[in-house]
């Protein structure tokens, strides 16, 4: 039985209609994506715009859309000595993130590529520590820190942020390590690669996007943490989120200054995300939130 083929003159309009339909659908979805993106980013845009207003213009209802920009609010923020708070947050976030990566990577390796006995129980234990609310565990933590004389100490925050982010990092890194082809590892072993060389030359290059995604998420969680910093620090180790509370007083909220401070405190996270955006997108698409 022979197949009947349509003449080229008849198939050409069909192909053109499909191409036009596909282009129209892509345009519609592109517009929808832009609208959704603007809706989600609008609060951030409004925060930045408000930071350039005077206080009387920032508190109007309905909002003031047209105003004369000013940097006075940023001057007020720097006059309140924001630098120590930024340095404390940076130190706690960076050091805790480094510790998390150093501890989570070998733990995830032992739970994925070289699974230990009863690895599923170990994995469940890690994630079960995230099921308890922080406030429920705060009293014993506070008493222990006070007994050790480590209240208002930045290294206390480093250790707490490490323990807070470690379970999530182990789960994420395990998902990324499961993406490593076993054949590549076996080929490396055949060529004489030991454990250290396999990690350096084979595993780390493959999971580097996931490693960057894990580190950035842990950094963001540490940078934004408020409850522990509020209750365990005072003057020496107060972090950036604590600085923001100072703009809310019995006289009301200084909205323009608060937005200026929030904009400044958002910059490190935005810069880190922008620098690692390529690896972040690849990492988030290959692992735990795939």
């Amino acid at each position: 039985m022979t197949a009947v083929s349509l003449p080229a003159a008849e198939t050409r309009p069909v192909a053109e209609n499909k191409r036009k339909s596909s282009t129209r659908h892509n345009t519609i979805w592109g517009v929808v994506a832009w609208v959704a993106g603007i809706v989600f980013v609008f609060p951030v845009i409004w925060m930045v715009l408000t930071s350039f207003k005077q206080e009387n213009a920032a508190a109007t209802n309905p909002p003031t859309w047209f105003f004369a920009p000013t940097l006075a609010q940023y001057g007020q923020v720097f006059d309140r000595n924001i630098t120590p708070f930024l340095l404390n947050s940076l130190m706690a976030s960076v050091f805790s993130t480094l510790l998390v990566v150093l501890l989570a990577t070998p733990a995830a390796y032992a739970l994925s590529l070289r699974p230990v006995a009863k690895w599923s129980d170990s994995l469940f234990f890690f994630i079960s520590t995230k099921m308890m609310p922080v406030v429920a565990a705060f009293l014993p933590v506070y008493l222990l820190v006070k007994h050790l004389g480590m209240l208002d100490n930045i290294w206390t925050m480093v250790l707490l942020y490490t323990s807070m982010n470690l379970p999530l990092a182990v789960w994420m890194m395990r998902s990324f390590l499961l993406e490593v082809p076993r054949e590549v590892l076996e080929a490396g072993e055949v060529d004489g690669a030991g454990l250290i060389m396999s990690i350096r030359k084979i595993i780390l290059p493959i999971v580097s996007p996931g490693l960057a995604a894990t580190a950035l998420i842990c950094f963001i969680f540490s940078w934004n943490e408020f409850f522990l910093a509020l209750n365990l620090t005072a003057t020496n180790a107060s972090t950036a989120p604590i600085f923001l509370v100072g703009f809310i007083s019995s006289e009301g909220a200084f909205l323009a200054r608060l937005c200026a401070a929030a904009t400044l405190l958002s910059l490190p996270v935005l810069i880190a995300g922008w620098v690692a955006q390529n690896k972040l997108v690849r990492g988030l698409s290959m692992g735990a939130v795939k």
Side-chain angles (χ1 to χ4, degrees), residues 193-243:
L195 176 61
I196 303 300
M197 183 174 291
S198 296
I199 292 175
R200 289 179 54 240
K201 300 293 185 178
I202 301 175
I203 297 176
L204 287 182
I206 295 177
V207 302
S208 59
L211 194 64
T214 303
L216 184 58
I217 290 175
C218 292
F219 179 85
I220 293 173
F221 284 170
S222 299
W223 185 269
N224 293 334
E225 200 282 323
F226 177 75
F227 180 80
L228 294 175
L230 177 66
N231 291 280
L232 296 176
T233 64
T235 56
N236 297 325
S238 293
T239 56
I242 307 302
F243 179 78

Side-chain angles (χ1 to χ4, degrees), residues 119-131 167 171:
W119 61 268
S120 58
D121 295 338
S122 301
L123 202 59
F124 177 76
F125 169 76
F126 275 113
I127 203 62
S128 67
T129 60
K130 298 292 291 182
M131 298 178 184
W171 271 73

Side-chain angles (χ1 to χ4, degrees), residues 100-122:
V100 166
V101 170
L102 291 175
L103 294 174
T105 302
Y109 179 87
L111 294 171
S112 57
L113 298 179
R114 295 290 188 270
V116 297
K118 297 185 177 180
W119 61 268
S120 58
D121 295 338
S122 301

Side-chain angles (χ1 to χ4, degrees), residues 75-146:
Q76 293 284 343
V77 171
F78 283 105
D79 287 342
R80 296 189 61 164
N81 197 16
I82 189 177
T83 305
F85 297 89
L86 288 174
L87 292 177
N88 286 336
S89 277
L90 190 63
M91 183 176 177
S93 301
V94 169
F95 279 96
S96 65
T97 300
L98 290 175
L99 282 175
V100 166
V101 170
L102 291 175
L103 294 174
T105 302
Y109 179 87
L111 294 171
S112 57
L113 298 179
R114 295 290 188 270
V116 297
K118 297 185 177 180
W119 61 268
S120 58
D121 295 338
S122 301
L123 202 59
F124 177 76
F125 169 76
F126 275 113
I127 203 62
S128 67
T129 60
K130 298 292 291 182
M131 298 178 184
M132 178 180 292
V134 178
V135 66
F138 174 71
L139 182 58
V141 170
Y142 178 84
L143 294 176
L144 178 62
V145 171
K146 182 179 180 181

